[in-house]
Amino acid sequence: MSRSSGNFKVVLSIAVALILGCAHGGGARAGFDFSRGTPMEFLEHLRNLGPGRVVTITEPLTNWVRRENVEELVARLDSREPCAAVVQGHSSYLPLESTVGDE
């Protein structure tokens, strides 16, 4: 498997986590409109909310992360910049802090 293929799978895993764990059915909830915003804009939104905040996602959002988003998302995988955490509504884990790279 090539590095780019491996990176795509990592980002795809992140994207699935974001889609399953971060989407509010495409509407403007948690201060972010998934029907208009991009994954990078969502990460910026999480940064602006800041550490100590938690965004809870309750419904899946399909086809939100696109192939053209992958390179930018991969570039931020190692980011340690603090941001709000994202959790699935049915999760039993509540993080106290998070980073752009984690989200």
Side-chain angles (χ1 to χ4, degrees):
M1 173 186 327
S2 71
R3 177 173 166 78
S4 63
S5 175
N7 283 345
F8 180 75
K9 288 184 178 184
V10 168
V11 171
L12 184 58
S13 296
I14 293 168
V16 168
L18 282 171
I19 291 166
L20 294 177
C22 302
H24 285 285
R29 297 192 185 145
F32 187 80
D33 186 347
F34 286 90
S35 68
R36 293 196 170 115
T38 67
M40 293 306 301
E41 291 169 337
F42 182 61
L43 290 176
E44 180 67 21
H45 174 71
L46 295 175
R47 274 192 33 214
N48 289 337
L49 287 175
R53 301 283 305 272
V54 176
V55 175
T56 302
I57 305 307
T58 59
E59 299 173 24
L61 179 68
T62 57
N63 299 320
W64 183 60
V65 175
R66 305 206 180 270
R67 189 172 286 276
E68 59 265 19
N69 305 131
V70 171
E71 190 173 334
E72 283 185 296
L73 292 170
V74 167
R76 285 161 179 77
L77 284 175
D78 293 326
S79 172
R80 301 312 307 156
E81 184 173 9
C83 72
V86 179
V87 297
Q88 294 181 27
H90 63 278
S91 175
S92 62
Y93 173 72
L94 183 60
L96 298 178
E97 58 185 45
S98 190
T99 66
V100 169
D102 289 339
E103 300 305 337

Coordinates of all heavy atoms in Angstrom, one line a residue:
M1 N 0.9 -1.2 0.0 CA 0.0 0.0 0.0 C 0.9 1.2 0.0 O 1.8 1.3 0.7 CB -0.9 0.0 1.2 CG -1.7 1.2 1.4 SD -2.6 1.4 3.0 CE -3.1 -0.2 3.3
S2 N 0.6 2.2 -0.9 CA 1.4 3.4 -0.9 C 1.0 4.3 0.2 O 0.0 4.2 0.9 CB 1.1 4.1 -2.2 OG -0.2 4.7 -2.2
R3 N 2.0 5.3 0.5 CA 1.7 6.2 1.6 C 0.5 7.0 1.4 O -0.3 7.2 2.3 CB 3.0 7.1 1.7 CG 2.8 8.2 2.8 CD 4.1 9.0 3.0 NE 3.8 10.1 3.8 CZ 3.7 10.2 5.1 NH1 3.7 9.1 5.8 NH2 3.5 11.3 5.7
S4 N 0.3 7.5 0.1 CA -0.9 8.3 -0.1 C -2.2 7.4 0.1 O -3.2 7.9 0.6 CB -0.9 8.8 -1.6 OG -0.9 7.8 -2.5
S5 N -2.2 6.2 -0.3 CA -3.3 5.3 0.0 C -3.5 5.1 1.5 O -4.7 5.2 2.0 CB -3.1 4.0 -0.7 OG -4.1 3.1 -0.4
G6 N -2.4 5.0 2.2 CA -2.5 4.9 3.7 C -3.1 6.1 4.3 O -3.9 6.1 5.2
N7 N -2.6 7.3 3.8 CA -3.1 8.6 4.3 C -4.6 8.7 4.0 O -5.3 9.2 4.9 CB -2.3 9.7 3.7 CG -1.0 9.9 4.3 OD1 -0.7 9.4 5.4 ND2 -0.1 10.7 3.7
F8 N -5.0 8.3 2.8 CA -6.4 8.4 2.5 C -7.2 7.6 3.5 O -8.3 8.0 3.9 CB -6.6 8.0 1.1 CG -8.1 8.1 0.7 CD1 -8.7 9.3 0.5 CD2 -8.9 7.0 0.6 CE1 -10.0 9.5 0.1 CE2 -10.2 7.1 0.3 CZ -10.8 8.3 0.0
K9 N -6.7 6.4 3.8 CA -7.5 5.5 4.7 C -7.6 6.1 6.1 O -8.6 6.0 6.8 CB -6.9 4.1 4.8 CG -7.2 3.3 3.5 CD -6.6 1.9 3.6 CE -7.0 1.2 2.3 NZ -6.6 -0.2 2.3
V10 N -6.5 6.8 6.5 CA -6.5 7.4 7.8 C -7.5 8.6 7.8 O -8.3 8.7 8.7 CB -5.1 8.0 8.2 CG1 -5.2 8.9 9.4 CG2 -4.1 6.8 8.5
V11 N -7.4 9.4 6.8 CA -8.4 10.5 6.7 C -9.8 10.0 6.5 O -10.7 10.6 7.1 CB -8.0 11.5 5.6 CG1 -9.1 12.5 5.3 CG2 -6.7 12.1 5.9
L12 N -10.0 8.9 5.8 CA -11.3 8.4 5.6 C -11.8 7.9 7.0 O -13.0 8.1 7.3 CB -11.3 7.2 4.6 CG -12.6 6.6 4.3 CD1 -13.6 7.6 3.7 CD2 -12.4 5.4 3.3
S13 N -11.0 7.3 7.8 CA -11.4 6.9 9.2 C -11.8 8.1 10.0 O -12.8 8.1 10.7 CB -10.2 6.2 9.9 OG -9.9 5.0 9.2
I14 N -11.0 9.2 9.9 CA -11.3 10.4 10.6 C -12.7 11.0 10.0 O -13.5 11.4 10.8 CB -10.2 11.5 10.4 CG1 -9.0 11.0 11.2 CG2 -10.6 12.8 10.9 CD1 -7.7 11.7 10.8
A15 N -12.8 10.9 8.7 CA -14.0 11.5 8.1 C -15.2 10.7 8.6 O -16.3 11.3 8.9 CB -13.9 11.4 6.6
V16 N -15.1 9.4 8.6 CA -16.2 8.5 9.1 C -16.5 8.9 10.6 O -17.7 9.1 10.9 CB -15.9 7.0 9.0 CG1 -16.9 6.2 9.7 CG2 -15.9 6.7 7.5
A17 N -15.5 9.1 11.4 CA -15.7 9.5 12.8 C -16.4 10.8 12.8 O -17.3 11.0 13.6 CB -14.4 9.5 13.5
L18 N -16.0 11.8 12.0 CA -16.6 13.1 11.9 C -18.1 13.0 11.5 O -19.0 13.5 12.0 CB -15.9 14.0 11.0 CG -14.6 14.6 11.6 CD1 -13.9 15.4 10.4 CD2 -14.9 15.6 12.7
I19 N -18.3 12.2 10.4 CA -19.6 12.1 9.9 C -20.5 11.4 10.9 O -21.6 11.9 11.1 CB -19.6 11.3 8.5 CG1 -18.9 12.1 7.5 CG2 -21.0 10.9 8.1 CD1 -18.5 11.3 6.2
L20 N -20.1 10.3 11.5 CA -20.9 9.6 12.4 C -21.0 10.3 13.7 O -22.0 10.2 14.5 CB -20.4 8.2 12.6 CG -20.5 7.3 11.4 CD1 -19.9 5.9 11.7 CD2 -21.9 7.1 10.9
G21 N -19.9 11.0 14.1 CA -19.9 11.6 15.4 C -20.0 13.1 15.4 O -20.0 13.7 16.5
C22 N -20.1 13.8 14.3 CA -20.1 15.2 14.3 C -21.2 15.9 13.5 O -21.2 17.1 13.4 CB -18.8 15.7 13.7 SG -17.4 15.1 14.6
A23 N -22.1 15.2 13.0 CA -23.1 15.8 12.1 C -24.4 15.9 12.8 O -24.8 15.0 13.5 CB -23.2 15.0 10.9
H24 N -25.1 17.0 12.6 CA -26.4 17.2 13.1 C -27.4 17.2 12.0 O -28.2 18.1 11.9 CB -26.5 18.6 13.9 CG -25.8 18.6 15.2 ND1 -26.3 18.0 16.3 CD2 -24.6 19.1 15.6 CE1 -25.5 18.2 17.3 NE2 -24.5 18.8 16.9
G25 N -27.4 16.2 11.2 CA -28.3 16.1 10.1 C -28.2 17.2 9.1 O -29.2 17.4 8.3
G26 N -27.1 17.9 9.0 CA -26.9 18.9 7.9 C -27.4 20.3 8.3 O -27.2 21.2 7.5
G27 N -28.1 20.5 9.3 CA -28.7 21.8 9.7 C -27.7 22.6 10.5 O -26.6 22.1 10.9
A28 N -28.1 23.8 10.8 CA -27.2 24.7 11.6 C -27.5 24.4 13.1 O -28.4 24.9 13.6 CB -27.5 26.2 11.3
R29 N -26.6 23.6 13.7 CA -26.7 23.3 15.1 C -25.3 23.4 15.6 O -24.4 23.3 14.9 CB -27.3 21.9 15.3 CG -28.7 21.8 14.8 CD -29.4 20.6 15.3 NE -30.7 20.5 14.6 CZ -31.3 19.4 14.3 NH1 -30.7 18.3 14.5 NH2 -32.4 19.4 13.7
A30 N -25.2 23.5 16.9 CA -23.9 23.7 17.6 C -23.2 24.8 16.9 O -22.0 24.9 16.9 CB -23.1 22.4 17.5
G31 N -23.9 25.8 16.4 CA -23.3 27.0 15.8 C -22.6 26.7 14.4 O -21.8 27.5 14.0
F32 N -22.8 25.5 13.8 CA -22.1 25.2 12.5 C -23.2 24.6 11.6 O -23.9 23.7 12.0 CB -21.0 24.2 12.8 CG -20.2 24.0 11.5 CD1 -19.2 24.9 11.1 CD2 -20.4 22.9 10.7 CE1 -18.5 24.8 10.0 CE2 -19.7 22.7 9.6 CZ -18.7 23.6 9.2
D33 N -23.2 25.1 10.4 CA -24.1 24.6 9.3 C -23.4 23.6 8.4 O -22.6 24.0 7.6 CB -24.7 25.8 8.5 CG -25.8 25.4 7.6 OD1 -25.9 24.1 7.3 OD2 -26.4 26.3 7.1
F34 N -23.6 22.3 8.7 CA -22.9 21.3 7.9 C -23.4 21.3 6.4 O -22.6 20.8 5.6 CB -23.1 19.9 8.5 CG -22.4 19.7 9.8 CD1 -22.9 20.1 11.0 CD2 -21.1 19.2 9.8 CE1 -22.2 19.9 12.2 CE2 -20.4 19.0 10.9 CZ -20.9 19.4 12.1
S35 N -24.5 21.8 6.1 CA -25.0 21.8 4.7 C -24.2 22.9 3.9 O -24.2 22.8 2.7 CB -26.5 22.1 4.7 OG -26.8 23.4 5.1
R36 N -23.6 23.8 4.6 CA -22.8 24.9 3.9 C -21.3 24.9 4.2 O -20.5 25.3 3.4 CB -23.4 26.2 4.2 CG -24.8 26.4 3.7 CD -25.2 27.9 3.7 NE -26.4 28.0 3.0 CZ -27.5 28.4 3.5 NH1 -27.6 28.7 4.8 NH2 -28.6 28.6 2.7
G37 N -20.9 24.4 5.4 CA -19.5 24.5 5.8 C -18.7 23.3 5.3 O -19.3 22.2 5.1
T38 N -17.4 23.5 5.3 CA -16.5 22.4 4.9 C -15.9 21.8 6.1 O -15.9 22.4 7.2 CB -15.4 23.0 4.0 OG1 -14.6 23.9 4.8 CG2 -15.9 23.7 2.8
P39 N -15.2 20.6 6.0 CA -14.5 20.1 7.1 C -13.5 21.0 7.7 O -13.3 21.1 8.9 CB -13.8 18.8 6.5 CG -14.7 18.4 5.4 CD -15.2 19.7 4.8
M40 N -12.8 21.8 6.9 CA -11.8 22.7 7.4 C -12.5 23.8 8.2 O -12.0 24.3 9.2 CB -10.9 23.3 6.3 CG -10.0 22.2 5.6 SD -9.0 21.3 6.8 CE -8.0 22.7 7.5
E41 N -13.6 24.3 7.7 CA -14.4 25.3 8.4 C -14.9 24.8 9.7 O -14.9 25.5 10.7 CB -15.5 25.8 7.6 CG -15.0 26.6 6.4 CD -16.1 26.9 5.3 OE1 -17.1 26.2 5.3 OE2 -15.9 27.9 4.6
F42 N -15.2 23.5 9.8 CA -15.7 22.9 11.0 C -14.5 22.8 12.0 O -14.7 23.1 13.2 CB -16.2 21.5 10.8 CG -16.7 20.8 12.0 CD1 -17.8 21.4 12.8 CD2 -16.2 19.6 12.5 CE1 -18.2 20.8 13.9 CE2 -16.6 19.0 13.6 CZ -17.7 19.6 14.3
L43 N -13.3 22.5 11.6 CA -12.2 22.5 12.5 C -11.9 23.9 13.0 O -11.6 24.1 14.2 CB -10.9 21.9 11.8 CG -10.9 20.4 11.5 CD1 -9.7 20.0 10.7 CD2 -11.1 19.6 12.8
E44 N -12.0 24.9 12.1 CA -11.9 26.3 12.6 C -12.9 26.6 13.6 O -12.6 27.3 14.6 CB -12.0 27.2 11.4 CG -11.8 28.7 11.7 CD -10.4 29.0 12.2 OE1 -9.5 28.3 11.9 OE2 -10.3 30.1 12.9
H45 N -14.1 26.2 13.4 CA -15.2 26.4 14.4 C -14.9 25.8 15.7 O -15.1 26.4 16.8 CB -16.5 25.8 13.8 CG -17.7 25.8 14.7 ND1 -18.3 27.0 15.1 CD2 -18.3 24.8 15.4 CE1 -19.3 26.7 15.9 NE2 -19.3 25.4 16.1
L46 N -14.3 24.5 15.7 CA -13.9 23.9 16.9 C -12.8 24.7 17.6 O -12.8 24.8 18.8 CB -13.5 22.5 16.7 CG -14.6 21.5 16.1 CD1 -13.9 20.2 15.8 CD2 -15.7 21.4 17.1
R47 N -11.9 25.2 16.8 CA -10.8 26.0 17.4 C -11.4 27.3 18.1 O -11.0 27.7 19.2 CB -9.8 26.5 16.3 CG -8.7 25.5 16.0 CD -7.7 26.1 15.1 NE -7.5 27.5 15.4 CZ -7.3 28.5 14.5 NH1 -7.1 28.2 13.3 NH2 -7.2 29.7 14.9
N48 N -12.3 27.9 17.4 CA -12.9 29.1 17.9 C -13.7 28.9 19.2 O -13.8 29.7 20.1 CB -13.8 29.8 16.8 CG -13.0 30.4 15.7 OD1 -11.8 30.7 15.9 ND2 -13.6 30.5 14.6
L49 N -14.4 27.7 19.3 CA -15.1 27.4 20.5 C -14.1 27.2 21.6 O -14.4 27.6 22.8 CB -15.9 26.1 20.3 CG -17.1 26.2 19.5 CD1 -17.7 24.8 19.3 CD2 -18.1 27.1 20.1
G50 N -12.9 26.7 21.3 CA -11.9 26.6 22.3 C -11.9 25.3 23.2 O -12.9 24.6 23.2
P51 N -10.8 25.1 23.9 CA -10.8 23.9 24.7 C -11.8 24.0 25.9 O -12.2 25.0 26.3 CB -9.3 23.9 25.2 CG -8.9 25.3 25.1 CD -9.6 25.9 23.9
G52 N -12.2 22.8 26.3 CA -13.1 22.8 27.4 C -14.6 22.7 27.0 O -15.5 22.5 27.8
R53 N -14.8 23.0 25.7 CA -16.2 22.9 25.1 C -16.3 21.5 24.5 O -15.4 20.9 24.0 CB -16.4 24.0 24.1 CG -16.2 25.4 24.6 CD -17.4 25.9 25.4 NE -18.7 25.8 24.8 CZ -19.2 26.8 24.0 NH1 -18.6 27.9 23.7 NH2 -20.4 26.6 23.4
V54 N -17.6 21.0 24.4 CA -17.9 19.8 23.7 C -19.0 20.0 22.8 O -20.0 20.5 23.1 CB -18.2 18.7 24.8 CG1 -18.6 17.4 24.1 CG2 -17.1 18.5 25.8
V55 N -18.8 19.5 21.6 CA -19.9 19.5 20.5 C -20.4 18.1 20.4 O -19.7 17.1 20.2 CB -19.3 19.9 19.2 CG1 -20.4 19.8 18.1 CG2 -18.8 21.4 19.3
T56 N -21.7 17.9 20.7 CA -22.3 16.6 20.6 C -23.1 16.4 19.3 O -23.9 17.3 19.0 CB -23.3 16.4 21.8 OG1 -22.6 16.5 23.0 CG2 -23.9 15.0 21.8
I57 N -22.8 15.3 18.6 CA -23.4 15.1 17.3 C -24.4 13.9 17.5 O -24.0 12.9 18.1 CB -22.3 14.7 16.3 CG1 -21.3 15.8 16.3 CG2 -22.9 14.5 14.9 CD1 -21.8 17.2 16.0
T58 N -25.5 14.0 16.9 CA -26.6 13.0 17.1 C -27.0 12.2 15.9 O -27.5 11.2 16.0 CB -27.8 13.7 17.7 OG1 -28.3 14.7 16.8 CG2 -27.5 14.3 19.1
E59 N -26.8 12.8 14.7 CA -27.2 12.1 13.5 C -26.1 12.1 12.4 O -25.3 13.0 12.3 CB -28.4 12.9 12.9 CG -29.6 13.0 13.8 CD -30.7 13.9 13.2 OE1 -30.7 14.1 12.0 OE2 -31.5 14.4 14.0
P60 N -26.1 11.0 11.6 CA -25.1 10.9 10.6 C -25.3 11.9 9.5 O -26.4 12.4 9.2 CB -25.2 9.5 10.1 CG -26.5 9.0 10.5 CD -26.9 9.8 11.7
L61 N -24.2 12.3 8.8 CA -24.2 13.2 7.7 C -23.4 12.5 6.6 O -22.2 12.2 6.8 CB -23.6 14.5 8.0 CG -23.5 15.6 7.0 CD1 -24.9 16.1 6.6 CD2 -22.6 16.7 7.4
T62 N -24.0 12.2 5.5 CA -23.3 11.5 4.4 C -22.8 12.4 3.4 O -23.3 13.5 3.1 CB -24.3 10.5 3.7 OG1 -25.4 11.2 3.2 CG2 -24.8 9.4 4.7
N63 N -21.7 11.9 2.8 CA -21.0 12.6 1.7 C -20.5 14.0 2.0 O -20.5 14.9 1.1 CB -21.9 12.6 0.4 CG -22.2 11.3 0.0 OD1 -21.4 10.4 -0.1 ND2 -23.5 11.0 -0.4
W64 N -20.2 14.3 3.2 CA -19.8 15.6 3.6 C -18.3 15.8 3.4 O -17.9 16.8 2.9 CB -20.1 15.9 5.1 CG -19.8 17.2 5.6 CD1 -20.3 18.4 5.1 CD2 -18.9 17.6 6.6 NE1 -19.7 19.5 5.8 CE2 -18.9 19.0 6.7 CE3 -18.1 16.8 7.5 CZ2 -18.1 19.6 7.7 CZ3 -17.4 17.5 8.5 CH2 -17.4 18.9 8.5
V65 N -17.5 14.8 3.8 CA -16.0 14.9 3.5 C -15.8 14.4 2.1 O -16.2 13.3 1.8 CB -15.2 14.1 4.5 CG1 -13.7 14.1 4.2 CG2 -15.4 14.6 5.9
R66 N -15.2 15.3 1.3 CA -14.9 14.9 -0.1 C -13.4 14.7 -0.3 O -12.6 15.1 0.4 CB -15.4 16.0 -1.0 CG -16.9 16.3 -0.7 CD -17.6 16.9 -1.9 NE -19.0 17.2 -1.7 CZ -19.9 16.4 -1.9 NH1 -19.7 15.2 -2.3 NH2 -21.2 16.7 -1.6
R67 N -13.2 14.0 -1.4 CA -11.8 13.7 -1.8 C -10.9 14.9 -1.8 O -9.8 14.9 -1.3 CB -11.7 13.0 -3.1 CG -10.4 12.4 -3.5 CD -10.4 11.6 -4.7 NE -11.0 10.3 -4.5 CZ -10.4 9.2 -4.1 NH1 -9.1 9.3 -3.7 NH2 -11.0 8.1 -3.9
E68 N -11.4 16.0 -2.2 CA -10.6 17.3 -2.3 C -10.3 17.8 -0.9 O -9.4 18.7 -0.8 CB -11.3 18.3 -3.2 CG -12.7 18.8 -2.7 CD -13.8 18.0 -3.4 OE1 -13.6 16.9 -4.0 OE2 -14.9 18.5 -3.4
N69 N -11.0 17.4 0.1 CA -10.7 17.8 1.5 C -9.5 17.0 2.2 O -9.0 17.4 3.2 CB -11.9 17.6 2.4 CG -13.1 18.3 1.9 OD1 -14.2 17.7 1.9 ND2 -13.0 19.6 1.6
V70 N -9.2 15.8 1.6 CA -8.3 14.9 2.2 C -6.9 15.5 2.5 O -6.4 15.4 3.6 CB -8.2 13.6 1.4 CG1 -7.1 12.7 1.9 CG2 -9.5 12.9 1.4
E71 N -6.3 16.2 1.5 CA -5.0 16.7 1.7 C -4.9 17.7 2.8 O -4.0 17.6 3.7 CB -4.5 17.3 0.4 CG -3.0 17.7 0.4 CD -2.5 18.2 -0.9 OE1 -3.1 17.8 -2.0 OE2 -1.5 18.9 -0.9
E72 N -5.8 18.6 2.9 CA -5.8 19.5 4.0 C -6.0 18.9 5.4 O -5.4 19.3 6.4 CB -6.9 20.6 3.8 CG -6.6 21.6 2.8 CD -7.7 22.7 2.8 OE1 -8.8 22.3 2.4 OE2 -7.4 23.9 3.1
L73 N -6.9 17.9 5.4 CA -7.1 17.2 6.7 C -5.9 16.4 7.1 O -5.6 16.4 8.3 CB -8.4 16.2 6.5 CG -9.7 16.9 6.4 CD1 -10.8 16.0 6.0 CD2 -10.1 17.7 7.6
V74 N -5.3 15.7 6.2 CA -4.0 14.9 6.5 C -3.0 15.9 7.0 O -2.3 15.5 8.0 CB -3.5 14.2 5.3 CG1 -2.1 13.6 5.5 CG2 -4.5 13.0 4.9
A75 N -2.9 17.1 6.5 CA -1.9 18.0 6.9 C -2.1 18.4 8.4 O -1.1 18.9 9.0 CB -1.9 19.3 6.0
R76 N -3.2 18.2 8.9 CA -3.5 18.7 10.3 C -3.6 17.5 11.3 O -3.9 17.7 12.4 CB -4.8 19.5 10.3 CG -4.6 20.9 9.7 CD -5.8 21.6 9.3 NE -5.5 22.9 8.8 CZ -5.0 23.1 7.6 NH1 -4.7 22.2 6.8 NH2 -4.8 24.4 7.2
L77 N -3.3 16.3 10.8 CA -3.4 15.2 11.7 C -2.5 15.3 12.9 O -2.8 14.8 14.0 CB -3.1 13.9 11.0 CG -4.1 13.3 10.0 CD1 -3.6 12.1 9.3 CD2 -5.4 13.0 10.8
D78 N -1.3 15.9 12.8 CA -0.4 16.0 13.9 C -0.6 17.3 14.7 O 0.2 17.6 15.6 CB 1.0 15.9 13.4 CG 1.3 14.5 12.9 OD1 0.8 13.5 13.5 OD2 2.1 14.4 11.9
S79 N -1.6 18.1 14.4 CA -1.8 19.4 15.1 C -2.1 19.2 16.6 O -2.9 18.3 16.9 CB -3.0 20.1 14.5 OG -3.3 21.3 15.2
R80 N -1.4 19.9 17.4 CA -1.7 19.9 18.9 C -2.4 21.1 19.3 O -2.5 21.4 20.5 CB -0.4 19.7 19.6 CG 0.5 18.5 19.3 CD -0.3 17.1 19.3 NE -1.0 16.8 20.5 CZ -2.1 16.0 20.5 NH1 -2.5 15.4 19.4 NH2 -2.7 15.7 21.6
E81 N -2.9 21.9 18.4 CA -3.7 23.1 18.7 C -5.0 22.8 19.4 O -5.8 22.0 18.9 CB -4.0 23.9 17.4 CG -4.6 25.2 17.7 CD -4.7 26.0 16.4 OE1 -4.5 25.5 15.3 OE2 -5.1 27.2 16.5
P82 N -5.2 23.3 20.6 CA -6.4 23.0 21.4 C -7.7 23.5 20.6 O -7.7 24.4 19.9 CB -6.2 23.8 22.6 CG -4.8 24.3 22.7 CD -4.3 24.3 21.3
C83 N -8.7 22.7 20.9 CA -10.0 23.0 20.3 C -11.1 22.3 21.1 O -10.8 21.5 22.0 CB -10.1 22.6 18.8 SG -10.2 20.9 18.5
A84 N -12.4 22.6 20.8 CA -13.5 21.9 21.4 C -13.4 20.4 21.0 O -13.0 20.1 19.9 CB -14.8 22.5 20.9
A85 N -13.9 19.6 21.8 CA -14.0 18.1 21.5 C -15.3 17.8 20.8 O -16.3 18.5 21.0 CB -13.9 17.4 22.8
V86 N -15.3 16.7 20.1 CA -16.5 16.3 19.4 C -16.8 14.9 19.9 O -16.0 14.0 20.0 CB -16.3 16.2 17.9 CG1 -17.6 15.7 17.2 CG2 -15.9 17.6 17.4
V87 N -18.1 14.6 20.3 CA -18.5 13.3 20.8 C -19.8 12.9 20.1 O -20.6 13.7 19.6 CB -18.7 13.3 22.3 CG1 -17.4 13.6 23.0 CG2 -19.8 14.2 22.7
Q88 N -20.0 11.6 20.0 CA -21.3 11.1 19.5 C -22.3 11.1 20.7 O -21.9 10.9 21.8 CB -21.1 9.6 19.0 CG -20.2 9.5 17.8 CD -20.1 8.1 17.4 OE1 -21.0 7.3 17.6 NE2 -19.0 7.8 16.8
G89 N -23.5 11.4 20.3 CA -24.5 11.5 21.4 C -24.7 10.2 22.2 O -25.0 10.3 23.4
H90 N -24.4 9.1 21.6 CA -24.6 7.8 22.3 C -23.2 7.4 23.0 O -23.2 6.3 23.5 CB -25.1 6.7 21.4 CG -24.2 6.4 20.3 ND1 -24.2 7.1 19.1 CD2 -23.3 5.4 20.1 CE1 -23.3 6.6 18.3 NE2 -22.7 5.5 18.9
S91 N -22.2 8.2 23.0 CA -20.9 7.8 23.5 C -20.9 7.9 25.0 O -21.6 8.7 25.6 CB -19.8 8.7 23.0 OG -18.6 8.5 23.6
S92 N -20.2 7.0 25.7 CA -20.1 7.1 27.1 C -18.8 7.7 27.6 O -18.5 7.8 28.7 CB -20.1 5.7 27.7 OG -19.0 4.9 27.3
Y93 N -18.0 8.3 26.6 CA -16.7 8.9 26.9 C -16.9 10.4 26.7 O -17.3 10.8 25.6 CB -15.6 8.3 26.0 CG -14.3 9.1 26.1 CD1 -13.5 9.0 27.2 CD2 -13.9 9.9 25.1 CE1 -12.3 9.6 27.3 CE2 -12.7 10.6 25.2 CZ -11.9 10.4 26.3 OH -10.7 11.1 26.4
L94 N -16.5 11.2 27.6 CA -16.6 12.6 27.5 C -15.2 13.2 27.7 O -14.6 13.2 28.9 CB -17.5 13.2 28.6 CG -17.7 14.7 28.5 CD1 -18.3 15.2 27.2 CD2 -18.6 15.2 29.6
P95 N -14.5 13.6 26.6 CA -13.1 14.1 26.8 C -13.1 15.5 27.5 O -14.0 16.3 27.3 CB -12.7 14.3 25.3 CG -13.9 14.4 24.5 CD -15.0 13.7 25.3
L96 N -12.1 15.8 28.3 CA -12.0 17.0 28.9 C -11.2 18.0 28.1 O -11.3 19.2 28.3 CB -11.3 16.8 30.3 CG -12.0 15.9 31.3 CD1 -11.3 15.8 32.5 CD2 -13.4 16.5 31.6
E97 N -10.5 17.5 27.1 CA -9.7 18.4 26.2 C -9.5 17.7 24.9 O -9.7 16.5 24.8 CB -8.4 18.8 26.8 CG -7.5 17.7 27.1 CD -6.2 18.1 27.8 OE1 -6.3 18.9 28.7 OE2 -5.2 17.6 27.4
S98 N -9.2 18.5 23.8 CA -9.0 17.9 22.5 C -8.1 18.8 21.7 O -7.8 19.9 22.2 CB -10.3 17.7 21.8 OG -10.1 16.9 20.6
T99 N -7.7 18.4 20.5 CA -6.9 19.2 19.6 C -7.4 19.1 18.2 O -8.2 18.2 17.9 CB -5.4 18.7 19.6 OG1 -5.4 17.4 19.0 CG2 -4.8 18.7 21.0
V100 N -7.0 20.0 17.3 CA -7.4 20.0 15.9 C -7.0 18.7 15.3 O -7.8 18.0 14.6 CB -6.8 21.2 15.2 CG1 -7.0 21.0 13.7 CG2 -7.4 22.5 15.6
G101 N -5.8 18.2 15.6 CA -5.3 16.9 15.1 C -6.2 15.7 15.5 O -6.4 14.8 14.8
D102 N -6.7 15.7 16.7 CA -7.6 14.7 17.2 C -8.9 14.7 16.5 O -9.5 13.7 16.3 CB -7.8 14.8 18.7 CG -6.6 14.4 19.5 OD1 -5.7 13.7 19.0 OD2 -6.5 14.8 20.7
E103 N -9.4 15.9 16.3 CA -10.8 16.0 15.7 C -10.7 16.0 14.2 O -11.6 15.6 13.5 CB -11.5 17.3 16.2 CG -11.7 17.4 17.7 CD -12.4 16.2 18.3 OE1 -13.1 15.5 17.6 OE2 -12.2 16.0 19.5

